[in-house]
Amino acid sequence: MSKTVTCLYQDQQKASEIVSRLEQADISRGDISFYSTPSDNLIDDLEDAGVPRSDAHAYAEGVRRGASLVTVECDEDEVDRVVGILDGEGILDLDEQQTAWRSEGWQGYDASTSGSTAGLGSATAGMASGLTGTSDTTRAQSDRTDGTGRDEVIPVVEEELHVGKREVGHGRVRIQSRVVERPVQEQVDLREERVHVERRPVDRPLSEGDAAFRDRTIEAEERREEAVVSKEARVTEEVVVRKDVEERTETVSDTVRKTEVDVEDERNVRATGTTDSTDRKR
C-alpha cells in the first residue's frame, strides 16, 4: 500500500538538504515533492496525494509564510525509513504553527463551509479587515450581529513576554600533547685493556732465577669499559586548563502586543416616535 509522508521545514535550505539525503538513500526523485513557493494548486495536489484537506490548507499557509514542504510517496514498509530521514533539525510542528497563526487571525479550513469562503481566502479577508471571528467563522464579519441571534465574538489577545536562556558556543580552546623525539649527544671517556703476547728469541746461559723445568700458567684478562645509557624523565612545565564561570544580569527589551477594543454606543438615551392623539376633532 502506498503512503504519503509530509514534513514542513522552517526554510528552503533545510528542506533542500533533506531532499538530497532522500536521493542519497535511493528514494526515487519522482516520489519526492518539494514546495517552497505558494501555488494555486498546492492544496489540490496535497489532497490528491492523500493529505487531509485541513492539513493541506495548513501546509499551504506554512509555504505562504516562507516555510518549505517536502512530501514523499513510499510503500508502507518504507515509512519508518523515510520518517527517519525527514526527522531532524528545522522541522516545524504543524499543530503549534496553526495555533500561532490562529492567534494572528488565520482561520484555517472549515469543513462546514464551501470552498469559496474557507481556507486561505477567508484568512486573507480576516487579516485585511483587521477583524477575526471564532474558529467556526468562515470570514470576517462586522461588529454587529446579523439578526439571527448568534453572538459575534472578537477575542481580546495580549502577549506576555517570557525570557529564558540557552547555552551557545563562543569558541573552543583545544590543547593537545604529543611525544616528539630529538637526537642528543654526550661524550664519555672509556678505558680499554689489551693483552699482548710476544715471543723474543734469546741466547744466554740459564740462571738461577729462570725457574726452569717446571709447569707454570700465566693468565691475563682483557677488560674494557662500555657506555651505559639510562634516561630519567623530569617534569619541566605544567599546562593548566581552568574554566572560570561568572554570572551577569542582562536586560532584555522587546515589544508585546495586545488587542484593544473600542466600543461606540450610538443608541439614543431617550426613545423617539409618534402617537395618535386621544382628542379628535368632530
Side-chain angles (χ1 to χ4, degrees), residues 102-117:
R102 291 183 189 278
S103 68
E104 298 172 0
W106 182 72
Q107 298 175 17
Y109 169 71
D110 188 350
S112 64
T113 60
S114 63
S116 62
T117 59

Side-chain angles (χ1 to χ4, degrees), residues 144-158:
R144 291 178 293 178
T145 60
D146 56 5
T148 62
R150 186 180 64 178
D151 292 338
E152 297 295 336
V153 179
I154 298 178
V156 178
V157 182
E158 182 173 356

Side-chain angles (χ1 to χ4, degrees), residues 2 82 120 140-141 155 198 237-238 243:
S2 178
V82 172
L120 297 176
Q141 304 288 340
E198 180 183 357
E237 185 182 2
E238 292 181 337
K243 181 190 292 186

